[in-house]
């Protein structure tokens, strides 16, 4: 795989102080301090782990490029793809270059790029470069700025990335169908020069689909009742964790090209600042601490925080139905009812009937029900203390005092300060009567 350092001329010169990156907290001035500096040379602004790319799309991939006479050449292929949302749910999606969402298109500000698009779909398409300031004729709106790309045809887009930031690409031709089936991708344009501290730079594309239980094809006609919610095409527990070391600046580039829903993305254990949108950077005077950021449809939101607390901290959409897997939404509400009589009567018709939801829905995850074919109804994940009955747009940010590389470090197991059952002595001591 080709990375930034190989893709163009050596243009950046980065310095970061190895011993000082813990000194800066959110809201503090960005001051270089410390005595132990590493010299980083190359276009990769944060190439501290030796990897040759700069932003990490967990569960995703990077679009490769070559360079011809100073122009970066990319090739995107809109096409049908087989995709696994989580073990148990394989779908027939549409995407780019074999994956959904499409691979990350990464560049450096000032790059001249030429992007070839070969349409392998059964219908016309186009690509709009969302948030990129470019000549009108390169904007990718079928019928308005160009002729739609017919099946089998290859079109050429060419422009210059003239500002850094987090952007997106998607069809502007039958987008209701094409986006619903998974056609979208992220663009990260890095500033020239290096970071002044250690950075963990992540890109996460949110998406929602309606996939009826047992079906393989997302329903492009759906306007509500989306039941498959994803980060970079994966639903928890298939979402790979983000990792960071204490003191790292964590940058998470969130994007939303879903059909209908905005996602309030929430983090545990830390506060962050909104650093940029697809419109540009947020000025220092407007930055303030938050724990949830709304990512509306058609936007990117880049958040930053310094990793200060070790743990496996959840990062998830706070819409409760968006952090669950493939629920049916048209069942009767039976919470608090005594359904034993109902079960007995129904058992005459359907032997072994057991009505769900009498004491809440969590039981459905815990029962490890036999799933209908190709479905992940109420699928949860195994945690260090039992079942985590979350799903969908839910992942973990694993923060450790020390990390080697960026592989999943396993579960965080603190030795103290863990919630546990209160003892009789503790209850008596504090005057709690049961
Ligand atoms: Cu959501």
């Amino acid at each position: 795989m080709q990375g930034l350092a190989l893709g163009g001329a050596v243009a950046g010169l980065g310095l970061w102080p190895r011993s000082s990156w813990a000194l800066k907290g959110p809201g503090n001035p960005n001051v270089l301090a410390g005595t132990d500096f590493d010299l980083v040379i190359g276009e990769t602004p944060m190439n501290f782990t030796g990897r040759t790319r700069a932003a990490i799309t967990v569960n995703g991939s990077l679009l490769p490029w070559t360079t011809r006479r100073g122009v970066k050449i990319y090739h995107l292929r809109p096409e049908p793809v087989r995709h696994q949302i989580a073990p148990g749910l394989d779908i027939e999606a549409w995407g780019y270059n074999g994956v959904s969402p499409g691979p990350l298109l990464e560049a450096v500000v000032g790059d001249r790029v030429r992007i070839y698009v070969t349409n392998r779909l059964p219908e016309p398409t186009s690509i709009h470069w969302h948030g990129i300031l470019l000549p009108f004729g390169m904007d990718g709106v079928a019928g308005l700025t160009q002729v739609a790309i017919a099946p089998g045809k290859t079109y050429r887009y060419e422009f210059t990335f003239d500002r850094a930031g987090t952007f997106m690409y998607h069809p502007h031709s039958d987008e209701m169908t094409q986006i619903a089936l998974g056609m979208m991708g992220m663009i990260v344009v890095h500033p020239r020069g290096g970071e002044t501290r250690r950075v963990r730079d992540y890109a996460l594309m949110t998406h929602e689909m309606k996939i009826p239980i047992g079906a393989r094809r997302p329903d492009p006609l759906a306007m509500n009742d989306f039941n498959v919610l994803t980060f970079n095409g994966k639903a928890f527990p298939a979402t790979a964790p983000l990792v960071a070391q204490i003191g790292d600046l964590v940058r998470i580039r969130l994007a939303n090209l879903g059909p209908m829903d905005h996602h309030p993305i929430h983090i545990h254990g830390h506060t962050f600042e909104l650093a940029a949108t697809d419109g540009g950077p947020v000025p220092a005077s407007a930055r303030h601490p938050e724990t949830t950021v709304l990512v509306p449809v058609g936007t990117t939101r880049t958040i930053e925080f310094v990793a200060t607390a070790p743990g496996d901290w959840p990062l998830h959409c706070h819409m409760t139905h968006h952090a669950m897997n493939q629920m049916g939404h048209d069942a009767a509400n039976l919470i608090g009812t005594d359904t034993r009589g109902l079960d007995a009567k129904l058992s005459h018709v359907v032997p072994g009937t057991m009505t769900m939801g009498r004491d809440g829905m969590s039981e459905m995850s815990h029962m490890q029900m036999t799933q209908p074919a190709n479905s992940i109804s109420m699928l949860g994940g195994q945690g260090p203390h039992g079942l985590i009955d979350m799903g969908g747009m839910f992942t973990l940010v694993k923060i450790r005092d020390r990390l080697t590389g960026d592989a999943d470090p396993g579960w965080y197991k603190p030795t103290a300060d863990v919630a546990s059952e209160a003892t009789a002595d503790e209850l008596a001591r504090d005057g709690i009567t049961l």
Side-chain angles (χ1 to χ4, degrees):
M1 184 167 290
Q2 191 167 22
L4 280 174
L6 304 175
V10 171
L13 187 68
L15 281 174
W16 54 268
R18 189 186 269 162
S19 58
S20 69
W21 31 262
L23 298 177
K24 185 192 167 209
N28 292 335
N30 187 3
V31 179
L32 268 181
T35 53
D36 187 8
F37 288 82
D38 269 13
L39 185 62
V40 181
I41 299 175
E43 270 193 4
T44 306
M46 52 213 94
N47 189 6
F48 61 91
T49 59
R51 60 170 56 243
T52 54
R53 62 173 128 162
I56 301 169
T57 46
V58 279
N59 298 118
S61 60
L62 182 67
L63 183 64
W65 69 84
T66 56
T67 304
R68 295 275 190 280
R69 294 193 188 88
V71 178
K72 283 184 178 169
I73 314 289
Y74 302 80
H75 189 189
L76 278 169
R77 299 184 304 275
E79 60 189 0
V81 299
R82 289 237 164 118
H83 175 71
Q84 184 170 84
I85 298 285
L89 180 56
D90 295 286
I91 66 167
E92 302 288 342
W94 287 2
Y96 297 92
N97 298 33
V99 292
S100 169
L104 175 70
L105 197 166
E106 200 166 38
V108 176
V109 72
D111 278 349
R112 183 75 177 170
V113 298
R114 192 174 298 139
I115 306 167
Y116 291 95
V117 178
T118 300
N119 184 5
R120 293 182 173 174
L121 298 172
E123 70 166 357
T125 191
S126 68
I127 298 188
H128 168 58
W129 314 97
H130 177 116
I132 305 295
L133 306 182
L134 39 58
F136 177 75
M138 291 292 163
D139 200 42
V141 184
L144 177 66
T145 67
Q146 67 169 86
V147 174
I149 310 170
K153 297 291 184 190
T154 297
Y155 272 48
R156 174 183 56 81
Y157 293 90
E158 186 164 337
F159 49 86
T160 301
F161 285 120
D162 64 0
R163 60 192 185 122
T166 308
F167 312 103
M168 303 182 284
Y169 62 89
H170 65 83
H172 232 302
S173 173
D174 190 16
E175 54 259 51
M176 187 193 83
T177 302
Q178 297 184 10
I179 287 178
L181 294 183
M183 295 188 66
M184 59 193 62
M186 291 182 72
I187 300 171
V188 171
V189 182
H190 294 281
R192 292 205 172 262
E195 299 278 352
T196 54
R197 61 179 305 145
R198 250 167 45 152
V199 175
R200 301 273 175 173
D201 195 332
Y202 290 103
L204 284 183
M205 172 67 84
T206 65
H207 194 37
E208 61 184 358
M209 290 174 161
K210 183 172 184 177
I211 307 176
I213 300 291
R216 300 178 72 88
R217 181 74 76 183
D219 179 4
L221 297 177
M223 285 180 65
N224 49 33
D225 271 357
F226 296 96
N227 59 358
V228 173
L229 284 292
T230 52
F231 279 133
N232 287 346
K234 297 288 184 183
F236 183 80
T239 47
L242 286 57
V243 301
Q245 187 171 296
I246 295 290
D248 289 348
L249 180 74
V250 183
R251 176 179 301 134
I252 306 176
R253 305 166 186 267
L254 298 157
N256 184 355
L257 278 176
M260 296 297 290
D261 285 312
H262 317 306
H263 303 295
I265 305 297
H266 175 61
I267 194 166
H268 294 209
H270 291 77
T271 65
F272 57 73
E273 292 180 356
L274 179 64
T277 74
D278 42 336
V282 175
S285 59
R287 289 176 66 151
H288 58 277
E290 290 281 6
T291 68
T292 302
V293 61
L294 185 65
V295 188
V297 175
T299 66
T300 73
R301 295 285 182 265
T302 299
I303 61 172
E304 291 182 351
F305 62 96
V306 175
T308 53
D312 295 334
W313 300 107
L315 175 77
H316 63 95
C317 181
H318 219 297
M319 300 248 192
T320 55
H321 286 248
H322 290 183
M324 305 286 276
N325 278 327
Q326 264 194 329
M327 280 188 65
H329 292 139
D330 47 7
N333 178 7
L334 298 172
I335 293 176
T337 60
D338 183 347
T339 57
R340 284 169 294 184
L342 184 62
D343 289 351
K345 283 177 186 154
L346 274 171
S347 289
H348 294 304
V349 188
V350 186
T353 294
M354 185 170 49
T355 322
M356 310 302 294
R358 197 176 59 204
D359 301 317
M361 302 288 177
S362 178
E363 63 188 82
M364 295 166 72
S365 296
H366 286 268
M367 284 166 53
Q368 309 279 314
M369 290 185 301
T370 305
Q371 294 279 345
N374 202 48
S375 70
I376 50 171
S377 298
M378 301 296 290
L379 177 70
Q382 270 309 322
H385 299 284
L387 190 92
I388 305 167
D389 57 2
M390 310 294 291
M393 206 176 277
F394 181 95
T395 190
L396 298 170
V397 183
K398 297 197 169 188
I399 295 173
R400 298 290 184 275
D401 292 321
R402 275 265 158 255
L403 276 178
T404 49
D406 42 18
D408 184 345
W411 293 112
Y412 185 69
K413 292 172 187 144
T415 51
D417 291 334
V418 178
S420 56
E421 185 174 5
T423 64
D425 282 350
E426 288 166 342
L427 295 172
R429 175 191 70 196
D430 291 327
I432 304 291
T433 51
L434 304 178

